Amino acid sequence: MRETPRAEPPQPRPHRASEHTTGASCSGTPHRSDGRPPHTPRGARQPDPLGRPGTTPPVPGRPALLSALVALAVVTWQVLVHGPLARLDERVSRSLVDAVPRPLSELASDLGDMTVALPVLACAMAYAVGRGRRVAALYAGLAMAAVPLLVVPLKEWTARPGPLEPWAQGYFPSGHTATAAVAYFGAALLVSNRLLPVAAVLTAVTGAGLVLRGFHWPLDVFASLCLSLLVLGVSSSRTRRSSG
């Protein structure tokens, strides 16, 4: 009776991954054949404002910035020629003015006042400097400084009268809306991206208060939002390039 042959132990084959074990500390440790680590080290990831790895401040993409620029150009043109969009804007505004009690709408519109919005941004800038993000704080301050440099010439060029003061001029675009948007969104980007919804609510409340009180036409507010998006987009982009 023939003896059943015993199974031979497996022999290592050439050119298997087991040959590429340079740098392995022990058997069974995963490694790459080129000696590189299997993933990007956590320390190499760019931290967010709170120091957590792997995230960066959001930056509006080119399509969003281009759309904002086109919208701003179209709205400005309509205001200059008093086109159908501007006339519709005026009819809508007249139906909205004093739709809520004036003290409430005035309180909302005051969120875009320099004495309210600027201290918020200043505190966020101080926080960012303390966290070692001086470049981000600098560009946030420059973005805020750019608001009057852009808004005032547009006001003088368009010379749009106000809803309740037709004898006055210089209502387009809304300076209060731009101040609120750049200050609150800038502060959120410096402190924590989780505060972006809060910044959006504060900016929306400011714009609504301005329209409901009759301080601005709706298109004044909309144009300022477009302008603010452009300013914030450029500021965020420059911050990322400088940090990179």
Side-chain angles (χ1 to χ4, degrees), residues 42 44-58 127-128 131-133 136 188-195 239 243:
R42 290 184 179 272
R45 301 181 186 178
Q46 185 176 355
D48 70 351
L50 293 180
R52 289 187 296 271
T55 58
T56 55
Y127 173 84
R131 303 279 292 185
R133 302 181 66 236
L189 291 173
L190 290 175
V191 177
S192 172
N193 295 342
R194 295 179 179 178
L195 295 176
T239 299
S243 300

Side-chain angles (χ1 to χ4, degrees), residues 8 13 37 61 65 73 78 85 90 114 139 151 160 189 210:
E8 294 293 330
R13 299 179 183 179
L65 296 181
Q78 283 291 290
L85 189 58
E90 294 170 0
M114 288 282 190
Y139 279 112
V151 169
R160 192 182 196 189
L189 291 173
L210 292 168

Side-chain angles (χ1 to χ4, degrees), residues 22-219:
T22 304
S25 57
C26 61
S27 60
T29 302
H31 51 269
R32 296 171 61 109
S33 60
D34 55 4
R36 290 183 294 170
H39 56 76
T40 303
R42 290 184 179 272
R45 301 181 186 178
Q46 185 176 355
D48 70 351
L50 293 180
R52 289 187 296 271
T55 58
T56 55
V59 178
R62 289 185 179 180
L65 296 181
L66 180 60
S67 298
L69 181 60
V70 171
L72 178 61
V74 170
V75 170
T76 303
W77 165 63
Q78 283 291 290
V79 169
L80 285 171
V81 301
H82 198 246
L85 189 58
R87 295 194 295 270
L88 174 63
D89 180 51
E90 294 170 0
R91 290 196 298 270
V92 171
S93 179
R94 293 189 184 99
S95 66
L96 294 176
V97 172
D98 289 336
V100 300
R102 286 194 173 187
L104 184 60
S105 59
E106 288 181 358
L107 181 63
S109 63
D110 285 343
L111 291 173
D113 194 88
M114 288 282 190
T115 59
V116 178
L118 285 187
V120 174
L121 180 61
C123 291
M125 291 171 62
Y127 173 84
V129 170
R131 303 279 292 185
R133 302 181 66 236
R134 295 181 178 85
V135 174
L138 172 62
Y139 279 112
L142 291 176
M144 191 72 255
V147 169
L149 297 178
L150 297 172
V151 169
V152 172
L154 280 173
K155 284 180 175 289
E156 295 180 353
W157 181 36
T158 55
R160 192 182 196 189
L164 300 180
E165 297 179 344
W167 59 87
Q169 294 181 344
Y171 281 79
F172 179 93
S174 166
H176 277 64
T177 304
T179 298
V182 174
Y184 296 137
F185 276 99
L189 291 173
L190 290 175
V191 177
S192 172
N193 295 342
R194 295 179 179 178
L195 295 176
L196 289 174
V198 178
V201 169
L202 292 175
T203 303
V205 170
T206 302
L210 292 168
V211 173
L212 294 173
R213 179 59 180 84
F215 289 149
H216 278 286
W217 309 100
L219 283 184

